[in-house]
Amino acid sequence: MIGALLRSLTAPPEHEVCANLRLLEMFGADRGGCDDSLEFWIRSESEDYTATLLANAGVEAQEEFIVMAPGAASGGRNMWPVERFAAVALSIYQRKNIRTVLVGSPGERALANDIEAQAGAAVVNMCGHTSLLALAAILARAVLLVGNDSGAGHIAAALGKPTVTISSFPIDGDPGHPNSVLRFRPYGRGALVIQPRWPAAETCVNGCSMKEAHCILDVSIERVVTLIHRALDKP
């Protein structure tokens, strides 16, 4: 047992879900052939409440929409610029006629308001008006989530929804880093991550070292839009 535990501590980094499952196996848990995908359960009352919220916001019952989460609790370097989010929402609306529902905490309303001011009819601003369970119910109705590296992406992945996460962590960054995409990306088959192609400075070799948006600025609007269209066009 101790030998197995020591080997796990020196093994190459892997996603935290896999690492935790491996630890349980060391203590005798039998995974068998079980599915390791995450799950998130939504109560019917949350679905009903969310349906009313969406209807009051002008979203029709059968309307397809994307959810956009422009905030991030960690802020700063993990925040893609709001003008780029607005450009993405406009592009999807113009090419697919699909609107974007903005979500986030009350403290992120200013971000959503800026996107709404720039994207106009392409967005429905619900930022700050949903509980965590209502957010999950909205994500369950959405066709896709796009956002920064935040909790919304993990909920969407647990619901089995396609996700496009914009990360500040460079592709060649240290996989053992606390912001490593390998270890902490949303865990799901449709969970896609866009990363900076390279560090923006020598100090960011292992992971972005700046407080404000820095390495993440290498992620272009075109790359995000292309990945969203690719995910939407999958059968």
Side-chain angles (χ1 to χ4, degrees), residues 65-69 80 84-93 95-100 143-148 162-166 190-194 219-235:
F65 60 85
I66 285 173
V67 171
M68 181 176 285
W80 206 48
R84 299 191 188 186
F85 276 118
V88 168
L90 276 171
S91 176
I92 300 300
Y93 184 62
R95 294 172 61 180
K96 294 281 190 180
N97 196 31
I98 296 177
R99 291 195 291 173
T100 295
V143 295
L144 177 142
L145 168 77
V146 57
N148 296 313
T163 65
V164 174
T165 298
I166 304 167
L192 306 175
V193 180
I194 300 182
V219 177
S220 68
I221 295 167
E222 292 73 19
R223 288 177 66 197
V224 174
V225 169
T226 297
L227 198 57
I228 290 174
H229 282 296
R230 187 181 305 164
L232 291 177
D233 292 337
K234 282 185 177 180

Side-chain angles (χ1 to χ4, degrees), residues 134-156:
L135 168 62
I138 289 175
L139 289 170
R141 278 189 52 180
V143 295
L144 177 142
L145 168 77
V146 57
N148 296 313
D149 186 4
S150 67
H154 295 276
I155 295 174

Side-chain angles (χ1 to χ4, degrees), residues 100-170:
T100 295
V101 174
L102 304 175
V103 298
S105 68
E108 294 165 348
R109 284 177 181 166
L111 298 174
N113 290 343
D114 284 347
I115 294 173
E116 182 181 23
Q118 296 176 53
V123 303
V124 177
N125 191 353
M126 298 186 68
C127 189
H129 297 292
T130 62
S131 65
L132 185 62
L133 290 177
L135 168 62
I138 289 175
L139 289 170
R141 278 189 52 180
V143 295
L144 177 142
L145 168 77
V146 57
N148 296 313
D149 186 4
S150 67
H154 295 276
I155 295 174
L159 289 165
K161 293 292 176 177
T163 65
V164 174
T165 298
I166 304 167
S167 172
S168 66
F169 193 78

Side-chain angles (χ1 to χ4, degrees), residues 138-220:
I138 289 175
L139 289 170
R141 278 189 52 180
V143 295
L144 177 142
L145 168 77
V146 57
N148 296 313
D149 186 4
S150 67
H154 295 276
I155 295 174
L159 289 165
K161 293 292 176 177
T163 65
V164 174
T165 298
I166 304 167
S167 172
S168 66
F169 193 78
I171 289 175
D172 293 332
D174 177 9
H177 191 277
N179 292 122
S180 167
V181 168
L182 173 65
R183 294 176 61 198
F184 296 106
R185 71 186 186 280
Y187 192 77
R189 294 182 181 86
L192 306 175
V193 180
I194 300 182
Q195 299 173 253
R197 293 164 295 180
W198 43 70
E202 290 183 2
T203 55
C204 302
V205 171
N206 292 326
C208 189
S209 63
M210 302 299 178
K211 292 183 178 180
E212 301 305 321
H214 183 238
C215 292
I216 200 170
L217 298 179
D218 178 64
V219 177
S220 68

